[in-house]
Amino acid sequence: MRVIIIGAGLAGLTCAKVLNTNGHEVSVYEASDGVGGRVRTDEADGFLLDRGFQVFFTAYPAAKRHLDYGRLDLRAFDPGAAIHRGRRTDVLSDPLRDPASAVPGLLTDVASFADKLNTLRLSAKLGAKGLPVDSVTQMEIEAEVLAEQYLLEAGFSERILDNFFRPFYGGIFLDRTLATSARVLAFTFSMLTRGETTVPTLGMQRIPEQLASHLPEGSVHLSSRVEELLAKGERVSAVRVNGAEVEADAVVVATESPSAAKLAGKPTPEGAVGEVCVYYELSGRADGKKVGLGAGDGVFFNNASEMTAVSDAYAPTGRKLLSAVHIGQLDGLSDNEIYRRGITELSDWYPDADFRPLAVYRLPFCQFAQPPGTHRRTPGNATDEPGLYLAGEYTEDASINGAMLSGEKAAKAVMA
Ligand SMILES: Cc1cc2nc3c(=O)[nH]c(=O)nc-3n(C[C@H](O)[C@H](O)[C@H](O)COP(=O)(O)OP(=O)(O)OC[C@H]3O[C@@H](n4cnc5c(N)ncnc54)[C@H](O)[C@@H]3O)c2cc1C
């Protein structure tokens, strides 16, 4: 079969890899100038700048099936987090994976003793020895509720919600209100306890590049935006790209949800969450290999990470890179104002450090919105039109695992 795949994000590339491995001819058309979609890394004066702070959980089941972790040369963050409230810092050693190790941390006023017991209970239920999991959609939790409600019903205090869960999961869901589906919380909790939180030594884009390396030379066409799908009778049989018609036995639309809706004319999930990621060159010390979290109301940055403590290749030799994330958008603020406000806050978090502005990434569409109920309504990979298939995070869940699983399932649907 000859299959056209539209979009070289993780979903499109995984789909192409599976089809190619099974002997099908694939052509991937990508609108931008590189592979990876939302997982790209820029190089600027020897610094590696991921397009937004992203991490890779080694426990992701779909990723394990398609990636060679050794070749990615993954570098791990330390578990736990450093929690900043103004000039005060509390270090939680490993509250999710090994709750017992959190005793010194949890005996600070960040959380109560009951929170420690509740963490143990949650870990027994969702952690490494708990439910087997393959995807968010398969998480067997009681109900479609808000992550916030799930934690409160599990008995956690408002104090640990404000001091830990909001900034910690806020950084993953890009939503500090915890209005995301509890399924995502449960899946993420499970991933965190089953493996490590990492980045490839040379930046996140190494992940899609590795997927693309499995495809025959010349099968990925960059700077090639597909303008429309073309049908013969009922069947989608070609696309228009770069002014030409290209025919295929099947077409997989593997773009972001809004472009998929336009291109394929199918309903796809609406809504998005975003962030502004700010990079500084760091002089001095931040939180080393732990993620720094901003607790309390009105913080400018939700989280900050000393990327070079995890992989020193993120900066030129002997220099340091700090990535800091504001959740939401800052449309009214200039880059200079963002740098300035960021430095004011970071100077409280890291009083002995200095910060030199490097780059601002404004990313309004990072993940499709995942309120409770979303994962019961995600579209399937096969559509009601013969020859037309969908792939992309929005058919599963907003994550690297969701995108790769979706690509894998779309390939199987095409072959079926
Ligand atoms: C800042 C940020 C932080 C994140 N953090 C994490 C994290 O820590 N862990 C995690 O698991 N996930 C994280 N995610 C989510 C994860 O990156 C995404 O869920 C995943 O990469 C989506 O992949 P995709 O293939 O579905 O879509 P995309 O990566 O968006 O790929 C779609 C591709 O289609 C192309 N395209 C669109 N229209 C056309 C057209 N007409 N013709 C040709 N090509 C087209 C686009 O250019 C794009 O390359 C984060 C995302 C962002 C942005």
Side-chain angles (χ1 to χ4, degrees):
M1 260 191 306
R2 173 148 204 257
V3 186
I4 287 178
I5 293 136
I6 308 172
L10 295 176
L13 292 171
T14 307
C15 180
K17 172 179 175 280
V18 174
L19 287 166
N20 176 62
T21 309
N22 283 279
H24 301 288
E25 191 190 329
V26 293
S27 299
V28 183
Y29 291 97
E30 165 55 46
S32 76
D33 62 356
V35 297
R38 274 167 269 173
V39 186
R40 299 280 303 265
T41 305
D42 293 319
E43 200 175 331
D45 300 328
F47 290 93
L48 296 180
L49 308 178
D50 291 332
R51 292 189 186 170
F53 176 66
Q54 299 214 31
V55 292
F56 175 73
F57 297 148
T58 57
Y60 275 152
K64 282 188 191 166
R65 295 194 284 274
H66 296 289
L67 295 172
D68 176 344
Y69 287 8
R71 271 178 56 217
L72 287 175
D73 199 6
L74 298 170
R75 299 298 157 107
F77 286 79
D78 278 351
I83 296 177
H84 299 280
R85 286 174 291 173
R87 290 200 152 223
R88 174 176 176 171
T89 301
D90 292 277
V91 177
L92 290 188
S93 46
D94 191 358
L96 301 184
R97 207 148 62 151
D98 178 8
S101 77
V103 174
L106 288 185
L107 290 184
T108 67
D109 70 349
V110 168
S112 67
F113 189 68
D115 288 324
K116 176 176 172 276
L117 294 180
N118 287 323
T119 310
L120 280 166
R121 260 187 235 125
L122 200 61
S123 194
K125 180 173 172 188
L126 303 171
K129 297 192 182 85
L131 294 172
V133 265
D134 194 45
S135 70
V136 167
T137 41
Q138 285 173 6
M139 285 310 299
E140 287 176 27
I141 62 165
E142 297 80 2
E144 295 285 351
V145 295
L146 301 175
E148 182 188 47
Q149 190 183 337
Y150 184 73
L151 291 168
L152 289 172
E153 282 172 6
F156 287 100
S157 67
E158 291 281 1
R159 196 150 45 117
I160 197 172
L161 254 70
D162 288 345
N163 286 323
F164 177 66
F165 284 114
R166 286 189 201 289
F168 186 74
Y169 281 107
I172 297 174
F173 309 155
L174 304 183
D175 162 29
R176 278 171 77 94
T177 67
L178 302 179
T180 303
S181 164
R183 280 176 182 277
V184 185
L185 179 127
F187 181 70
T188 310
F189 188 104
S190 167
M191 292 300 106
L192 283 160
T193 58
R194 282 161 209 251
E196 290 183 314
T197 301
T198 66
V199 288
T201 297
L202 294 175
M204 289 296 287
Q205 195 171 339
R206 292 292 151 152
I207 295 173
E209 281 172 358
Q210 187 184 101
L211 290 171
S213 73
H214 294 281
L215 304 178
E217 211 169 302
S219 57
V220 180
H221 308 268
L222 300 176
S223 305
S224 300
R225 177 174 293 281
V226 170
E227 294 136 35
E228 65 174 323
L229 309 184
L230 303 167
K232 253 192 211 137
E234 295 278 281
R235 191 174 183 82
V236 173
S237 61
V239 302
R240 189 184 313 283
V241 56
N242 299 330
E245 275 182 30
V246 187
E247 289 191 358
D249 299 305
V251 174
V252 181
V253 176
T255 68
E256 315 85 311
S257 182
S259 2
K262 271 193 214 142
L263 209 51
K266 305 285 169 211
T268 62
E270 291 174 2
V273 290
E275 70 173 49
V276 177
C277 179
V278 189
Y279 284 105
Y280 298 96
E281 180 172 1
L282 171 76
S283 311
R285 235 190 88 74
D287 293 311
K289 287 175 152 194
K290 277 202 189 310
V291 172
L293 301 176
D297 291 336
V299 289
F300 189 66
F301 286 136
N302 181 76
N303 53 282
S305 302
E306 199 178 324
M307 299 306 295
T308 32
V310 181
S311 164
D312 61 8
Y314 268 74
T317 311
R319 294 165 74 182
K320 292 181 177 180
L321 177 68
L322 185 85
S323 150
V325 172
H326 173 92
I327 293 178
Q329 292 303 290
L330 293 166
D331 291 339
L333 293 190
S334 67
D335 286 3
N336 280 341
E337 185 62 13
I338 291 173
Y339 288 131
R340 195 192 62 71
R341 287 191 50 185
I343 290 173
T344 304
E345 185 161 278
L346 294 172
S347 302
D348 278 345
W349 295 13
Y350 313 119
D352 302 325
D354 285 314
F355 312 91
R356 184 175 73 85
L358 286 178
V360 172
Y361 285 85
R362 297 171 189 260
L363 304 161
F365 191 99
C366 292
Q367 305 171 9
F368 77 104
Q370 301 174 96
T374 306
H375 306 96
R376 288 193 193 283
R377 296 190 297 266
T378 48
N381 301 103
T383 70
D384 53 0
E385 276 177 79
L388 176 61
Y389 299 84
L390 300 177
E393 56 160 21
Y394 65 89
T395 72
E396 289 290 330
D397 69 279
S399 70
I400 290 168
N401 189 70
M404 293 182 70
L405 181 62
S406 167
E408 185 185 83
K409 285 186 176 175
K412 286 181 184 160
V414 171
M415 292 187 291

